[in-house]
Amino acid sequence: MKKFFSNIILVMGTLIPLTTAAETLPLIQNVNAYESMSLNGDWNYIVDVQEEGYYDYRMNPTRWGFFQNAKPQRPEDLIEYDFDKSPTMQIPSDWNTQDERLFFYEGTVWFKKSFQAVPTKDYRTLLYFGAVNYDCHVYLNGRHVGHHIGGFTPFNYDVSELLKEGDNVVIVKVDNKRHAEDVPTQIFDWWNYGGITRDVKLVKVTPVYLEDYSLQLMKADGKAKNREISFSAKLNKAEAGHNVVVYIPELKLQQQLTTDAEGKVSVTLKVSAKKLQLWSPETPKLYQVNLSLDTSTYTDNIGFRTIETHDKQILLNGKPIFLKGISIHNEKPNGGGRANSVNDAHTLLSWAHELGCNFVRLAHYPHHEEMVREAEKMGILVWSEIPVYWTIAWKNTQTFENARQQLTDMISRDHNRANVIIWSIANETPHSAERDDFLSRLAKYARTLDNTRLISMAMEVTGASNYVNRLNDNMNQYVDVVSFNQYIGWYRDVNDAPKMTWEIPYNKPVIVSEFGGGAKYGYHGAKNQRWTEEFQENLYIENCAMLDKIEGLAGTTPWILKDFRSPRRVLNGIQDYYNRKGLVSDKGEKKKAFFILKKWYEGK
Ligand code: GCB
């Protein structure tokens, strides 16, 4: 019976191709400004180890897959799955911390959510996902909506043609298996949390809407009486004659514009320098900006600041700033699991604030949008990164396209955030001509998307002898800020930090994007005893003193704020699958080194 039934599937599957019935759209800017219906909450899920919900027994995609959400119609019908009888999981979340059977699981899980909708003819509906890790197929009412890869960036589809009045079913196949040609690649030092990890919603838009807009303060001489804000916007359609108004009530700035044939507008707004309060860590001022398109209005809160470099200095609003930073993973503050709420963001950033930070490195991939927005409200500058990490498949064109898409989506989501000052294109990548080609193309591409911010990447120190550390990376010419990770006192030269000297032969600002060492909270001993808080404390004392000797040091982001889950950290009783380099434990307890860094930052 089973065999016969499977054959039919095979025949049917080959005869009728699986087509995509919705349109993948460029990311909508400021999705929160739109009326939407949240699809967060309980979703049924089925763990599908061999992907039988997608492939038939000859490994051909089957049209009878789980996305059909099939139900027996007659008593004799054989259907070997039932979403409605399957367990539920709270979305957004990662499956690893929601179901103990899935703690180490890497593979496919299907998710299903039923919901009611009342579509109207005057509006279109976008199905929006904040992030899904890693590879997903989305289906609505049995039809394929789209395929997305990349675990940390948002995406949206126009599902208007598939949405029905009344009952609807969205099904998502999520696969987080690792592959050498993916971004990130097969190995990385963080937990590969799978699932629908960020918000899901249905967003109501007018048929013509503001797909993207940008407001950016132009650089100017410190003595300039007037400042210029450049505004540009783009519709989702290349249509002329639409009315766009940009209005900043507090500055009494208003401009009415009409779209050109490409559906675009742009203008330079002038404001007196005295009236404009600049965004900075001390005064994280955001202005309410009202945008309207024909009869619809949208609101955003936007800050105005400039960021640039001059020789070895980073200048915020024209003045040198030392970036007192800390690296952070996008993990919940208490215990593991993907962070996905404003509260998670607030707790993590409050610890950074307490450390005295004015800067965070959001490693090693784009964090959830609330993390960036919360940091912006709290006056914390941001380094944002894509997961081009370690050994990427540099020669593979699809890998490059994947990285490029993740960069595009990171920049499109956050390019109106005043606190984001650095786009990072990579972390600790091994030198080769292919890598230089890949990364230099990415850097140049990033500049075409945003020429107002700084480009960087976390490099490595490659030449070190007789305590002389030399940075020598061909990528120096493509970045604005030369950043590198170094682990003196942990992976290298324990207790030799005082002897180290540094040669960074580039006239660009320098950020030490990582340093640190592991300690288990509450484990005490001598300062040369690995894993004790005292060892880590001493490492910070010696490293901070050493860093003070680096010429042109413009900032640091030590590794890392909080202990985080990693499958590479297997030492029983100490690591227990946590990277222990946190200044606070996985439960939020502060280790001794926290206070060393805090003190060093107080003096900066
Ligand atoms: C690094 C990596 C970071 C690791 C860290 C470590 O250089 O950039 O992702 O977690 O070292 O703890 O070894």
Side-chain angles (χ1 to χ4, degrees):
M1 175 63 192
K2 169 127 188 166
K3 194 144 197 277
F4 174 70
F5 189 68
S6 302
N7 277 337
I8 291 175
I9 293 170
L10 175 65
V11 173
M12 300 293 280
T14 333
L15 283 177
I16 302 167
L18 300 158
T19 54
T20 299
E23 208 190 329
T24 310
L25 300 173
L27 196 62
I28 186 168
Q29 178 60 214
N30 190 17
V31 68
N32 298 329
Y34 292 81
E35 193 180 326
S36 65
M37 181 173 115
S38 171
L39 294 181
N40 291 350
D42 284 339
W43 289 54
N44 294 95
Y45 68 99
I46 298 175
V47 181
D48 187 7
V49 175
Q50 295 200 0
E51 301 195 292
E52 62 151 333
Y54 191 78
Y55 296 107
D56 65 17
Y57 80 132
R58 296 291 185 251
M59 275 305 278
N60 294 309
T62 167
R63 69 181 294 247
W64 303 110
F66 289 179
F67 48 86
Q68 293 277 7
N69 191 31
K71 303 281 174 199
Q73 302 300 314
R74 299 164 306 168
E76 64 269 33
D77 283 352
L78 175 63
I79 301 196
E80 293 183 277
Y81 70 97
D82 186 344
F83 274 109
D84 295 312
K85 292 198 175 119
S86 303
T88 60
M89 188 182 291
Q90 191 69 23
I91 296 299
S93 69
D94 57 273
W95 63 57
N96 315 74
T97 59
Q98 298 298 300
D99 178 339
E100 64 185 26
R101 296 172 307 164
L102 302 181
F103 184 65
F104 288 108
Y105 183 67
E106 294 181 301
T108 286
V109 177
W110 293 82
F111 292 90
K112 184 223 93 171
K113 175 96 180 158
S114 302
F115 62 93
Q116 298 276 311
V118 194
T120 57
K121 286 217 176 70
D122 301 338
Y123 289 92
R124 312 269 320 160
T125 304
L126 307 187
L127 175 57
Y128 176 93
F129 290 85
V132 177
N133 191 38
Y134 168 84
D135 176 316
C136 75
H137 285 274
V138 178
Y139 303 85
L140 185 62
N141 298 326
R143 302 293 302 278
H144 193 245
V145 171
H147 177 210
H148 184 264
I149 56 170
F152 304 98
T153 39
F155 51 99
N156 44 220
Y157 304 107
D158 184 342
V159 292
S160 312
E161 307 308 326
L162 297 177
L163 204 63
K164 295 187 301 193
E165 169 127 27
D167 296 335
N168 290 270
V169 180
V170 60
I171 289 178
V172 186
K173 171 186 183 287
V174 186
D175 181 358
N176 73 336
K177 284 193 287 297
R178 290 164 292 112
H179 305 101
E181 64 281 9
D182 286 349
V183 182
T185 181
Q186 223 152 7
I187 52 165
F188 44 90
D189 189 21
W190 67 85
W191 208 265
N192 185 22
Y193 291 117
I196 304 174
T197 52
R198 296 184 190 157
D199 294 341
V200 191
K201 51 181 149 186
L202 288 170
V203 184
K204 195 168 152 185
V205 294
T206 42
V208 178
Y209 62 90
L210 280 180
E211 185 179 271
D212 196 11
Y213 58 82
S214 153
L215 275 137
Q216 192 69 46
L217 181 68
M218 309 299 284
K219 292 172 188 118
D221 186 299
K223 292 178 203 111
K225 286 212 171 91
N226 288 312
R227 299 300 303 260
E228 291 179 345
I229 296 171
S230 85
F231 168 73
S232 61
K234 179 180 173 294
L235 306 181
N236 61 322
K237 288 188 178 149
E239 279 186 12
H242 289 275
N243 219 342
V244 175
V245 180
V246 51
Y247 177 37
I248 310 178
E250 223 182 310
L251 294 174
K252 299 195 178 59
L253 278 181
Q254 179 160 4
Q255 187 83 39
Q256 185 169 339
L257 304 150
T258 308
T259 58
D260 64 14
E262 289 179 78
K264 291 182 179 169
V265 290
S266 64
V267 71
T268 303
L269 306 166
K270 290 201 172 55
V271 58
S272 103
K274 266 198 213 141
K275 264 177 63 189
L276 184 70
Q277 191 178 357
L278 300 178
W279 186 100
S280 73
E282 297 75 34
T283 54
K285 170 71 185 166
L286 299 177
Y287 285 93
Q288 185 181 319
V289 176
N290 299 336
L291 295 166
S292 63
L293 167 65
D294 301 327
T295 54
S296 324
T297 55
Y298 317 86
T299 302
D300 204 343
N301 294 306
I302 294 187
F304 300 106
R305 56 93 191 100
T306 58
I307 189 76
E308 60 202 306
T309 64
H310 177 70
D311 296 335
K312 285 186 173 262
Q313 290 180 324
I314 293 177
L315 307 179
L316 178 72
N317 297 324
K319 293 186 208 108
I321 182 167
F322 184 81
L323 300 173
K324 298 183 260 184
I326 188 76
S327 297
I328 307 183
H329 260 296
N330 196 199
E331 208 177 63
K332 284 190 184 295
N334 293 303
R338 272 273 161 262
N340 50 36
S341 69
V342 183
N343 279 348
D344 291 338
H346 190 77
T347 307
L348 293 165
L349 293 164
S350 299
W351 291 337
H353 237 183
E354 217 183 311
L355 257 180
C357 294
N358 57 14
F359 180 53
V360 287
R361 174 180 180 208
L362 301 184
H364 280 299
Y365 39 76
H367 287 210
H368 67 302
E369 188 173 348
E370 293 305 339
M371 189 71 180
V372 180
R373 285 192 178 260
E374 195 60 20
E376 188 180 47
K377 287 188 204 146
M378 292 170 72
I380 299 179
L381 295 155
V382 163
W383 156 312
S384 191
E385 185 162 312
I386 51 168
V388 173
Y389 181 99
W390 291 355
T391 57
I392 291 289
W394 307 113
K395 290 188 222 162
N396 186 316
T397 346
Q398 279 173 354
T399 306
F400 179 77
E401 281 314 316
N402 180 349
R404 200 168 89 116
Q405 189 61 47
Q406 296 194 43
L407 183 66
T408 310
D409 293 337
M410 171 173 80
I411 295 180
S412 13
R413 193 190 73 182
D414 290 341
H415 68 77
N416 283 317
R417 303 282 69 83
N419 61 333
V420 178
I421 52 168
I422 292 177
W423 302 124
S424 166
I425 56 166
N427 178 74
E428 284 188 354
T429 49
H431 294 193
S432 71
E434 291 80 17
R435 168 267 203 182
D436 289 353
D437 177 57
F438 187 111
L439 291 182
S440 58
R441 283 190 290 143
L442 268 192
K444 285 183 203 155
Y445 174 68
R447 285 187 204 285
T448 66
L449 297 178
D450 180 4
N451 61 9
T452 69
R453 290 179 174 77
L454 310 177
I455 308 287
S456 195
M457 56 185 269
M459 302 173 176
E460 287 175 304
V461 177
T462 44
S465 60
N466 289 332
Y467 305 114
V468 178
N469 296 275
R470 209 163 289 117
L471 191 66
N472 178 13
D473 192 318
N474 294 334
M475 283 300 297
N476 78 80
Q477 54 189 305
Y478 300 101
V479 295
D480 301 299
V481 177
V482 175
S483 308
F484 64 92
N485 302 346
Q486 65 82 13
Y487 280 91
I488 289 166
W490 186 255
Y491 296 123
R492 274 183 61 194
D493 308 295
V494 181
N495 299 329
D496 281 346
K499 300 181 203 149
M500 295 294 173
T501 58
W502 293 85
E503 285 178 11
I504 298 146
Y506 313 119
N507 191 28
K508 294 189 177 179
V510 175
I511 291 182
V512 174
S513 35
E514 286 179 31
F515 72 91
K520 172 130 170 142
Y521 173 77
Y523 179 39
H524 295 287
K527 66 181 185 186
N528 66 352
Q529 179 69 47
R530 286 257 178 193
W531 307 111
T532 62
E533 286 193 45
E534 287 72 14
F535 188 101
Q536 190 193 38
E537 179 186 39
N538 185 51
L539 184 149
Y540 268 76
I541 293 172
E542 300 217 338
N543 265 266
C544 291
M546 177 187 75
L547 296 177
D548 276 331
K549 292 189 268 174
I550 298 183
E551 195 214 328
L553 187 71
T556 56
T557 48
W559 195 253
I560 183 169
L561 182 66
K562 183 194 80 89
D563 289 354
F564 61 96
R565 280 218 164 104
S566 167
R568 302 174 69 85
R569 307 297 171 172
V570 298
L571 182 62
N572 218 43
I574 298 278
Q575 293 176 315
D576 302 315
Y577 295 107
Y578 275 99
N579 182 315
R580 294 287 179 201
K581 297 190 188 70
L583 293 176
V584 304
S585 73
D586 52 296
K587 298 189 182 60
E589 300 135 325
K590 297 187 178 77
K591 304 180 195 172
K592 288 177 142 222
F594 183 98
F595 301 97
I596 301 300
L597 185 64
K598 183 175 161 67
K599 201 162 144 220
W600 191 59
Y601 280 161
E602 273 162 15
K604 290 272 155 207

